[in-house]
Structure formats: C-alpha cells, structure tokens
Amino acid sequence: MKDELLRSKSDHLGKRREVDWFSLISVIGLLCFAPFIVFYFVMACDQYECSITQPVLDLYQEEATLLSIWARAPSFSWSAAKIYAIWVSFQVFLYMCFPDITHKFIPGYVGGVQEGARTPAGLINKYEINGLQCWLITHALWFANAHYFHWFSPTIIFDNWIPLLWCTNILGCAVSTFAFIKAHLFPTNAEDCKFTGNIFYNYMMGIEFNPRIGKWFDFKLFFNGRPGIVAWTLINLSYMAKQQELYGYITNSMILVNVLQAIYVLDFFWNEAWYLKTIDICHDHFGWYLGWGDCVWLPYLYTLQGLYLVYHPVQLSDAHALAVLLLGLVGYYIFRSTNHQKDLFRRTEGSCSIWGRKPTWIECTYRSADGGMHRSKLLTSGFWGVARHFNYTGDLMGSLAYCASCGFGHILPYFYIVYMTILLVHRCVRDEHRCSSKYGKDWKRYTDAVPSRLIPGVF
Ligand code: NDP
C-alpha cells in the first residue's frame, strides 16, 4: 500500500522508475511503426492517388512487391537536404536572434519573455515567446517570393515532399538521440530528469523535462512550434499552388482546408504564452515522441487533406462547404473559449467572470518533488462544468471539419480525425491519471462535480 502511494505520488512528479509491459510494447511498436505509417500515406498519394487499400491489394495480387514500391518512391536528394537545412537554420535564426517586438504594437498579444509552469522539481523556466513574429516574417517572405522575387517556385514543398521526408526523419532521430545523450551527460536540470531503467522507454518518452542549449534554446518550444507548425501553413500554401499549376484553378475544398488550418495555426502562435501551460510543455519529457513527432509526424500527417486535394481536386457544393465551415468555426470557438476560460481563471486565481458569473471551483493541494505543499484550483463552471476536457471536444470538431472538406471519395483524409480521437482520448486518460495522483481525493471531488470527460452524458 505504501509502495503504491509512493509510486503514484512520484508519477506526477515525473520520477516513475518502473515501466509496465503494456507501455513498453506500445513504445517499441510506435518506434517501429510510426515512420512506416508516415511513409505509407505519403507513398499511397504519390503512387496510388491516395488509395490506402490499393497498395495492399497490389501486394496481395502480386502486382507489386515491397521492393518495387520502395524503388518507385523518390529517394533522398541533396537538393531537398539543402532546402531543409536552410529552412531549419532560418527558423533557428528567427527563434534565437529576433526577440519579440510584436507584443509592443499588437494590442492583446502576449509575447516577449514569459514564465512557464512550475516543473516537477519546483523550477519556473523563462521562455522567449516570439512564435507569432517568426510566423509573420516567414509568411511575408513566402508571399514576397511568390509575387515578387521568384527565387523558388511556391510548389517547392510539394515537389520535394518525399525527398524531404528522409531529411525530416534524419533531423527527428538526430535531435531525439542528442536529447537522450545530453540527458545522461549534461542535463539542463538533473532534478527534472526521469530515468525509468528501460532504455527504449527513456529514448521514446524522454528523460529531460526541459532540455536547453544555453539560456534560451528550449528544445520543446522550438521543435513543437517551429519548424513543424510554422511549416504547416506553408505546406498547405504549396499544395494550393500545385493545384493551381496542375488544373488552372483552386477548389473551394482547398481554400477551406487552408483557411481552417491557418486559423488553428495562428491561434497557436497568438496563444504561444498560454501554450507554456499545456501538457506538452508542463508534463511531457523530451524524447523521440516529441522530437521525431514534431519533425516528421506533424508536418506530414497533419497536412494530408491538402495533399489529397492536389490529387483529387474536390469542388464541394455550397451547402457542403458551408456546413464544413460552420463545423470548423464552432469547433474552433469551443476549443478556444474552453482554453481561454481555464487560462483566465488560473491567471486571476478565480477573480474573473465566466459566462457572466463569478466562477465556481474546487480547492486542491499537492506536493512537489522538493516536498513543498502547493495549492491549486479546479474550475467547475463555463465549459469546464460541461465536461472535463471540452477543449478536446472542440478540437475534434475542428479536425472533423478538415477531413469533411475533402468530400467522401477516399478514407485517407479521414486519418486525421481517427488519429486525433485516439490521441486526445489517450491524453485524457493519461492526464486524468496524473491529476488523480497529484490531487488525490480533491480530484475525486472534481470528477463527482463534473462527471463527463468529452461528451456530456456519453463519455
Ligand atoms: P489542458 O489544457 O486541458 O490541460 C490539462 C491540465 O489542466 C491538467 O493536467 C490540469 O493541470 C489542468 N486542469 C484540468 N482540469 C482543470 C480545471 N477544471 N480547472 C483548471 N485546471 C484544470 O490539456 P492539453 O495541454 O492536453 O491541451 C491544450 C490544448 O491543446 C487542447 O485544446 C487540446 O485540444 C490541444 N492539443 C492539440 C494537439 C494537436 O496535436 N493538435 C495535441 C495536444 C493538445 P494542473 O496540474 O495545472 O492542475
């Protein structure tokens, strides 16, 4: 019993030392299959016009072999490596050398030096928040190039998509391996390291909590936000340019995907300071899961809808397009308002108004690794009184809208909603497990007050 208690307490402090078999098998499975999944989807678009069943049928009917599929896939190229090296170096340059000035003249935007949440060891890190500025500069240059300079074609990303995949994999694996070695040899904060005793788990889920080089190069903030998320909108623009080049027009579905995903990306950068308080930064350690995921999984699989629309230029009926737009905007509204309510509530420690009323909450206490007792509050009004993760519900509605923009001809563009559902339900379970060990009986009082996780009365 005492062991149980110690284990559960150390769990939320990020010091768990035992890995159960299920976690281990999941980790090794992900490590082996995730790169294959990314390759499969991109290859299916390139060789099979986005059919994900045809490659399997071809293999089964001996129309193709694994080797012939592999041989047809564009391989690594030095020109793609050059493009990617310039891209990543440019993002590092913007991140490190341009302290934020946009917060000085954009009302309501929080940028510049900001504090993150308290780490398990009780540390509070400072971050240079300049993501919006980097996004704006990058996109201004992109448009300047497309309309004025013509240094490169706006289809450059699409044209090098598979060769770039090898480059992103190299960076993803290199950065995760570096983080793994760094955690053993020169961790940024040894107190915040989590060693489980299992090498695969350590590599995959990370050891260091906030690895940094120097005072400001924060691995999590950089790799999570850029190059992946800054690239997201550029990748979509490149797909749009390719559609124009191939067919001489741009479909309303392509515009919908570009607009809805651009809202999501801009929202991310507008709220980058808030993002410091989300699970990725607050609780996850930096390993292959984040490093490789940010470099490869995110740019390749979050942009599948745009890629699909290059091969299938779907023109939606007005009613369909309007329904998708509405679903996307309502989803975004729920996602943003829910996140905003928690942020406002935590920032003002409850001295605020939610839905026109004084908020209600549950008082909690918890202990950090240094033994100190801390107080916290769990909001029970606004969207947080509807369900315990209503922000995820909004996110899922938005994700469904991206997929539904592509019509119903193929299942490939629907991968995103399947993946997001698995990700967010798993995250929900993971987060609740952590909160339960952190807050103990106070968490139970909260789940009694707000019984549903995602959909009121259903789940
Ligand atoms: P949340 O923003 O929901 O944060 C969860 C944390 O908030 C908990 O660990 C707890 O932390 C605190 N908390 C929980 N309940 C309450 C409450 N009632 N009142 C106050 N605080 C509470 O989760 P995420 O960080 O996972 O997600 C942030 C957003 O990012 C979501 O909208 C999600 O949809 C989105 N997201 C998108 C992804 C994508 O790939 N597109 C991936 C992941 C997330 P504490 O210890 O501080 O109490």
Side-chain angles (χ1 to χ4, degrees), residues 197-434:
N198 186 291
I199 193 164
F200 288 112
Y201 194 89
N202 289 350
Y203 182 72
M204 179 80 182
M205 300 312 288
I207 300 168
E208 274 204 83
F209 194 58
N210 290 118
R212 285 189 173 200
I213 292 181
K215 194 174 168 200
W216 292 109
F217 189 86
D218 185 87
F219 278 54
K220 266 196 213 168
L221 191 68
F222 179 77
F223 284 102
N224 236 306
R226 328 70 188 266
I229 301 188
V230 176
W232 190 345
T233 32
L234 290 186
I235 295 165
N236 280 345
L237 286 171
S238 185
Y239 292 154
M240 184 141 84
K242 194 67 192 181
Q243 215 186 40
Q244 173 73 44
E245 183 189 285
L246 287 175
Y247 310 104
Y249 59 86
I250 295 167
T251 60
N252 59 359
S253 51
M254 181 64 97
I255 295 173
L256 264 177
V257 167
N258 266 264
V259 169
L260 289 175
Q261 296 191 344
I263 293 174
Y264 194 76
V265 167
L266 261 174
D267 174 275
F268 174 88
F269 286 117
W270 181 267
N271 295 292
E272 199 178 15
W274 154 82
Y275 179 72
L276 299 177
K277 309 275 161 60
T278 65
I279 291 177
D280 284 346
I281 301 278
C282 290
H283 308 305
D284 286 345
H285 291 242
F286 188 87
W288 190 88
Y289 174 76
L290 285 183
W292 181 87
D294 294 335
C295 291
V296 186
W297 187 270
L298 190 155
Y300 276 84
L301 295 188
Y302 285 28
T303 57
L304 272 182
Q305 291 82 27
L307 183 63
Y308 172 83
L309 292 171
V310 173
Y311 294 93
H312 300 271
V314 176
Q315 184 67 22
L316 302 171
S317 69
D318 289 352
H320 186 152
L322 204 68
V324 167
L325 183 65
L326 216 66
L327 177 68
L329 293 180
V330 171
Y332 171 71
Y333 170 76
I334 293 176
F335 160 82
R336 172 53 30 227
S337 311
T338 314
N339 288 325
H340 174 69
Q341 285 175 356
K342 186 184 87 174
D343 186 44
L344 179 72
F345 169 75
R346 281 273 168 100
R347 249 188 307 117
T348 59
E349 299 197 354
S351 305
C352 59
S353 159
I354 289 177
W355 287 355
R357 291 201 202 130
K358 201 174 153 22
T360 55
W361 66 81
I362 283 169
E363 279 291 338
C364 308
T365 51
Y366 68 94
R367 196 181 286 280
S368 58
D370 58 9
M373 280 301 281
H374 304 273
R375 301 183 78 80
S376 187
K377 294 178 169 60
L378 293 169
L379 178 62
T380 51
S381 47
F383 283 124
W384 293 88
V386 177
R388 298 200 293 274
H389 299 273
F390 216 53
N391 48 350
Y392 292 178
T393 310
D395 208 345
L396 289 174
M397 289 166 69
S399 308
L400 183 62
Y402 309 157
C403 304
S405 301
C406 300
F408 305 110
H410 276 274
I411 53 173
L412 179 133
Y414 287 83
F415 168 80
Y416 188 68
I417 182 66
V418 174
Y419 161 72
M420 282 299 280
T421 306
I422 296 170
L423 176 90
L424 293 179
V425 169
H426 175 248
R427 207 175 173 91
C428 184
V429 172
R430 209 157 56 103
D431 186 48
E432 299 226 336
H433 177 71
R434 194 192 64 80

Side-chain angles (χ1 to χ4, degrees), residues 4-18 20 120 194 196 201 283 285 430 433-438:
E4 272 292 299
L5 201 68
L6 282 174
R7 194 176 316 124
S8 76
K9 274 196 181 303
S10 60
D11 217 21
H12 93 78
L13 299 172
K15 297 274 180 188
R16 187 170 65 161
R17 285 171 194 280
E18 286 169 30
D20 58 82
K194 179 175 80 175
T196 64
Y201 194 89
H283 308 305
H285 291 242
R430 209 157 56 103
H433 177 71
R434 194 192 64 80
C435 286
S436 169
S437 29
K438 177 175 176 181

